Amino acid sequence: MHCFSFDIETVPDVELGRELLGLDGLSDEDVATAMTFKRQQAVGHDFLSLHQHRVVAISVTFRTADTFKVWSLGDETSDERELVQRFFDGIERYSPDLISWNGGGFDLPVLHYRALRHGIQAPRYWEHGDSDRDFKWNNYLSRYHWRHVDLMDVLANFNNRAFAKLDEIAVMLGFPGTLGMSGAKVWDTYLGGGIREIRDYCETDVLNTWLVYLRFEYMRGKLDNKDLQREYALVRETLQAAGQPHFKEFLDAWPETGK
C-alpha cells in the first residue's frame, strides 16, 4: 500500500489578474492588491477564487512498506507546471491513497485548474471505473470514498459548521502545529524571494497532516497502540536522519513525551 499526504502553497496568479482586470504595466504586488481588493468588494473577504491561485510549493509524505519520506516536489527553481506534473505523475505511478486537510475544498480543486491550464494529463486520478473497476466504488473524486481522505471533512462529519484548523487539531493532539509561518504570510515571503522558507513551511504542514492521520487510523481501529508508536518512531527517525533545520525545529516542538 502506498500512501501520500500532501499540501500545497499558493500565491495570486497575477498573470491571470492582469488579463481579467486589464492591468498591464502594474507590478505583481499591485496586481495582487487589486485582485484581493476586487474580491473583498464582491464577497466581503479577500480570499481569491480557487482558479486565481498559482501553486508555488507541493509537499508530500510517502509511506510504503517500511519506508517513510517527506519532501517538496521539484526544487526551488521549478515552475508551476513541473510541480503539478510531478504530483499527478506520482498518482499515475503509484495509485496511492491520498491524505489531506481540506484537500477536497482547496488543494485538489486548485490542482485541477492548474493542470487544466498547463495541459497536464492525469488519467489515473480522473479514473471513475471505466478502465479499472476497482475505482468504480473507490476513487479520488467522490467525497465519501476512501482513496482520498480529507481529514478536515471526515472529522467534521462532512458538516462545514464543524470544520477545524489543522494547526489547532495538531496542537490538541500534542503535535507541533504551525511553526513560524502561516498561509497568510506566503505571498509576502514569495515576493521577498523566500521560496525555500515556503517549501519548509509546507513540509511541516504535511507532517502535521500525516500525524493527525495516524491518530485517525488509531481511532478507527486500523492501528493498535504498538503500531501507532512504531509509526511515530519512523517519522522521528526520518526527520532526525534528514538533519534539516526545519525538521529539527519540528522535533523540538514534538518531544518524546508528547502524545
Side-chain angles (χ1 to χ4, degrees):
M1 176 65 70
H2 304 298
C3 194
F4 282 180
S5 65
F6 70 98
D7 184 51
I8 71 173
E9 298 302 331
T10 66
V11 297
D13 182 352
V14 293
E15 290 183 12
L16 177 60
R18 283 191 181 90
E19 294 179 13
L20 293 176
L21 303 178
L23 297 176
D24 287 346
L26 288 187
S27 69
D28 288 354
E29 188 171 4
D30 287 342
V31 171
T33 298
M35 293 170 71
T36 54
F37 179 74
K38 185 175 179 62
R39 181 68 169 166
Q40 178 75 45
Q41 287 185 313
V43 298
H45 62 77
D46 63 4
F47 191 76
L48 295 175
S49 300
L50 300 192
H51 66 281
Q52 296 184 27
H53 287 251
R54 181 166 68 86
V55 176
V56 295
I58 305 176
S59 297
V60 300
T61 68
F62 182 35
R63 180 71 173 92
T64 184
D66 294 324
T67 301
F68 176 79
K69 298 179 180 179
V70 55
W71 76 101
S72 293
L73 304 184
D75 58 36
E76 294 177 38
T77 65
S78 297
D79 61 16
E80 181 185 50
R81 190 187 193 288
E82 179 182 351
L83 298 180
V84 177
Q85 182 74 68
R86 285 176 178 267
F87 177 80
F88 286 111
D89 282 351
I91 294 175
E92 199 71 20
R93 179 177 179 182
Y94 295 107
S95 296
D97 289 342
L98 295 179
I99 313 301
S100 71
W101 191 275
N102 195 29
F106 178 72
D107 304 66
L108 288 177
V110 170
L111 289 166
H112 297 170
Y113 286 124
R114 306 320 286 182
L116 190 69
R117 183 185 190 280
H118 293 294
I120 292 170
Q121 292 187 310
R124 194 66 172 167
Y125 174 79
W126 291 99
E127 176 65 57
H128 270 81
D130 296 330
S131 300
D132 187 335
R133 293 179 62 186
D134 288 344
F135 278 69
K136 185 173 179 61
W137 307 112
N138 187 23
N139 56 62
Y140 291 116
L141 297 163
S142 296
R143 189 180 192 186
Y144 305 108
H145 290 182
W146 289 95
R147 201 174 288 272
H148 168 227
V149 177
D150 180 339
L151 287 165
M152 188 183 81
D153 207 15
V154 171
L155 289 169
N157 199 32
F158 310 102
N159 173 8
N160 60 8
R161 292 175 298 176
F163 286 166
K165 295 181 179 180
L166 172 62
D167 174 55
E168 295 180 3
I169 299 303
V171 171
M172 181 182 79
L173 298 179
F175 306 134
T178 299
L179 298 174
M181 268 191 71
S182 68
K185 298 178 181 178
V186 168
W187 175 233
D188 287 340
T189 302
Y190 180 80
L191 288 175
I195 191 65
R196 176 70 265 171
E197 290 83 354
I198 294 170
R199 287 162 65 90
D200 289 351
Y201 161 65
C202 196
E203 287 172 13
T204 58
D205 248 15
V206 81
L207 282 167
N208 280 306
T209 301
W210 177 249
L211 294 176
V212 173
Y213 174 68
L214 292 177
R215 282 292 289 271
F216 173 67
E217 289 292 87
Y218 175 77
M219 179 173 69
R220 68 188 192 117
K222 299 297 184 179
L223 299 174
D224 61 22
N225 188 62
K226 185 177 179 181
D227 295 330
L228 181 63
Q229 298 308 317
R230 184 175 60 249
E231 292 296 328
Y232 286 166
L234 182 58
V235 174
R236 292 183 191 277
E237 291 165 7
T238 300
L239 300 185
Q240 288 166 352
Q244 299 183 39
H246 63 298
F247 290 156
K248 182 179 186 305
E249 182 183 10
F250 192 90
L251 288 170
D252 289 344
W254 181 33
E256 292 282 356
T257 55
K259 300 176 185 178

